[in-house]
Amino acid sequence: MPWMREVTCQVHEWRAARARWKADVDRYRAEQRAARASGREVRDPGPPPTGFALLPWLLMGMGAFSNILQGRTQQPWIGAIGLFAFNSLYIYVTFRAFVKETREARSTRVALVLMGLITCALAIVYGGTWLYFFPLFGLATGAIMRGARLGRIAFALTAVAAVVSAFRAGWDAVNVAYGTFLSTMVTAAILSLSEAVRELRAAREELARRAVEKERLRFSRDLHDLLGHTLSVIVVKSEAARRLAARDLDAALVQVTDIESVGRQALTEIREAVTGYREGSLATELDRARSALSAAGVEPVVRQSGPPLVPQTEALLGWVVREAVTNVVRHSGAARCEITVDGTPDRVRLTVTDDGTGSSAGSSAATGIGGTGLKGLTERLATAGGSLEAGPGARTGFQVRAELPLEATDLTEVPA
């Protein structure tokens, strides 16, 4: 039978809600114990409210139930059916009040309207203790209705309760109307505040999670750029030292000394990257680029012009020089590499061009754009209001071109 299936589904839903509530309570208690053991301040607002928090208010209907048992109600079977229908609708509505989707569902609003009709019918027919179903109905209404319409609905419901109560109980209508209005507004205010607190807490946790991800991404990019360039320089200089050792020991020792210097500098830069305070100098990166290119047998040509740059812009351009030169040393097979820095009063442009084989350089760079190398730099420069382009050169080889405003944002900023 359809109504039996509906009842069975509702019972399963209540059991699932009870299981979730118990799990939330257990989690909250475990967090409380852990916080006390570590001496931390407990700020958890506790397990989220559910329909079980509103069930004790059904005791307000005990007077009507007692009248039915004692035979003081005319046509008790009608009263019993009405009481059962009201309680069932109250449980159905309140358990759907704590999830936005179910709270705003049409079935919930229909159930609330039926609950109101039953409340008015029972209050008009029986009066007395049955009038206290109005505050219960107000409580269910406050749990469901939120927003700007709540005030109008609460006043309308209070007016109906006052009229019906005045018809059945005279001056006692003041107490019923006041209780109806109070239960409607207070319930809505408490549940709205609780929901807002939990949304703020969820937003705070999301911001903290994004901050951790952002810092992790910054560190991984810094580490990739630092180690990729440094290890490439060490490999190139080690090969140069091996080639020179047989015929020119002094020149080989110079290369070994450079390797030691590069390794020490890499340790310092990694420590700075971990703390997040690394600000590279463009002049320093250009000097390192000359050294790395010379050790790899590539002729470096560096040209720089324009106004002085702010530290953030220098740091970003330094990353571009580091990554582009690393790709030249690793992949290009070039004999010459030109690094040009041109500045205007508003923007600065950096161009790194090699005369390598073109196809090998381009494929490697294209891989970098799609991977963690030039792609990461593209995102950094875009965050700072700049751009980065990489592709085959005008004639041969490969070209990387970066453009930035003179005052770029902080180097550590990355897109979320």
Side-chain angles (χ1 to χ4, degrees):
M1 300 175 67
W3 66 272
M4 285 294 294
R5 287 197 297 270
E6 181 66 26
V7 171
T8 303
C9 293
Q10 189 61 45
V11 170
H12 289 325
E13 183 178 339
W14 292 340
R15 288 178 178 175
R18 182 172 181 272
R20 290 194 299 268
W21 178 74
K22 289 184 66 177
D24 289 330
V25 171
D26 293 339
R27 176 190 59 80
Y28 173 61
R29 289 175 178 172
E31 291 180 357
Q32 289 265 21
R33 289 193 295 268
R36 293 192 191 98
S38 61
R40 292 186 289 106
E41 181 181 358
V42 180
R43 296 182 179 180
D44 197 317
T50 64
F52 291 101
L54 301 179
L55 287 184
W57 294 102
L58 284 176
L59 294 175
M60 293 178 64
M62 288 300 296
F65 182 70
S66 176
N67 289 339
I68 293 175
L69 290 182
Q70 295 176 9
R72 289 186 290 180
T73 301
Q74 297 177 357
Q75 298 177 334
W77 286 108
I78 296 178
I81 293 173
L83 181 63
F84 176 78
F86 179 89
N87 290 342
S88 299
L89 289 172
Y90 176 88
I91 294 173
Y92 177 82
V93 167
T94 53
F95 270 87
R96 295 173 67 86
F98 297 93
V99 178
K100 184 177 181 180
E101 289 76 14
T102 57
R103 182 171 66 238
E104 297 178 352
R106 178 178 298 179
S107 59
T108 306
R109 304 299 173 92
V110 171
L112 191 64
V113 171
L114 291 177
M115 188 178 172
L117 295 176
I118 293 174
T119 301
C120 292
L122 294 175
I124 292 173
V125 172
Y126 294 113
T129 57
W130 295 83
L131 296 174
Y132 292 101
F133 282 101
F134 275 113
L136 267 178
F137 177 59
L139 190 149
T141 303
I144 294 298
M145 305 304 298
R146 312 283 173 86
R149 295 184 300 171
L150 176 63
R152 296 193 295 269
I153 293 173
F155 278 113
L157 178 58
T158 303
V160 172
V163 171
V164 174
S165 301
F167 171 72
R168 294 294 305 185
W171 285 103
D172 194 43
V174 176
N175 295 329
V176 175
Y178 178 72
T180 302
F181 180 79
L182 197 64
S183 64
T184 303
M185 298 303 293
V186 170
T187 302
I190 291 176
L191 294 184
S192 297
L193 181 61
S194 174
E195 187 173 330
V197 168
R198 294 187 180 281
E199 288 178 355
L200 288 174
R201 182 188 175 209
R204 183 184 64 186
E205 293 176 351
E206 177 66 15
L207 288 175
R209 184 186 64 81
R210 289 190 178 185
V212 171
E213 291 182 354
K214 183 177 179 180
E215 180 63 14
R216 185 179 299 158
L217 181 60
R218 179 201 67 80
F219 178 69
S220 65
R221 285 174 171 171
D222 286 1
L223 198 61
H224 169 271
D225 294 340
L226 287 169
L227 291 183
H229 174 78
T230 301
L231 294 178
S232 296
V233 173
I234 289 175
V235 169
V236 170
K237 287 186 173 293
S238 299
E239 292 176 349
R242 177 174 53 79
R243 290 195 304 268
L244 294 170
R247 63 178 185 272
D248 191 344
L249 185 58
D250 292 336
L253 290 176
V254 170
Q255 297 295 331
V256 172
T257 303
D258 288 345
I259 292 172
E260 180 183 0
S261 176
V262 169
R264 292 184 184 276
Q265 183 63 31
L267 289 175
T268 302
E269 290 176 345
I270 289 174
R271 294 190 186 102
E272 291 173 348
V274 170
T275 58
Y277 294 113
R278 183 177 188 273
E279 288 189 356
S281 167
L282 180 59
T284 302
E285 294 298 341
L286 291 174
D287 290 339
R288 293 176 182 170
R290 289 190 187 95
S291 176
L293 291 170
S294 298
V298 181
E299 179 187 356
V301 179
V302 179
R303 302 185 184 93
Q304 186 173 6
S305 63
L309 306 177
V310 296
Q312 290 81 7
T313 302
E314 282 204 10
L316 285 169
L317 294 180
W319 285 114
V320 177
V321 171
R322 178 184 288 263
E323 182 66 26
V325 170
T326 300
N327 284 336
V328 171
V329 171
R330 285 179 175 177
H331 310 297
S332 70
R336 178 186 173 90
C337 178
E338 295 185 5
I339 304 174
T340 305
V341 181
D342 294 322
T344 66
D346 297 325
R347 301 184 74 81
V348 58
R349 182 183 295 109
L350 167 70
T351 306
V352 180
T353 307
D354 65 71
D355 61 351
T357 55
S359 59
S360 62
S363 62
S364 299
T367 303
I369 293 173
T372 58
L374 294 178
K375 178 183 177 181
L377 288 174
T378 303
E379 294 175 351
R380 288 172 185 244
L381 267 64
T383 302
S387 62
L388 186 141
E389 298 176 358
R395 295 190 180 92
T396 59
F398 198 77
Q399 182 181 82
V400 176
R401 183 169 62 185
E403 189 171 337
L404 275 171
L406 283 184
E407 297 185 1
T409 56
D410 196 308
L411 150 74
T412 60
E413 290 293 325
V414 294

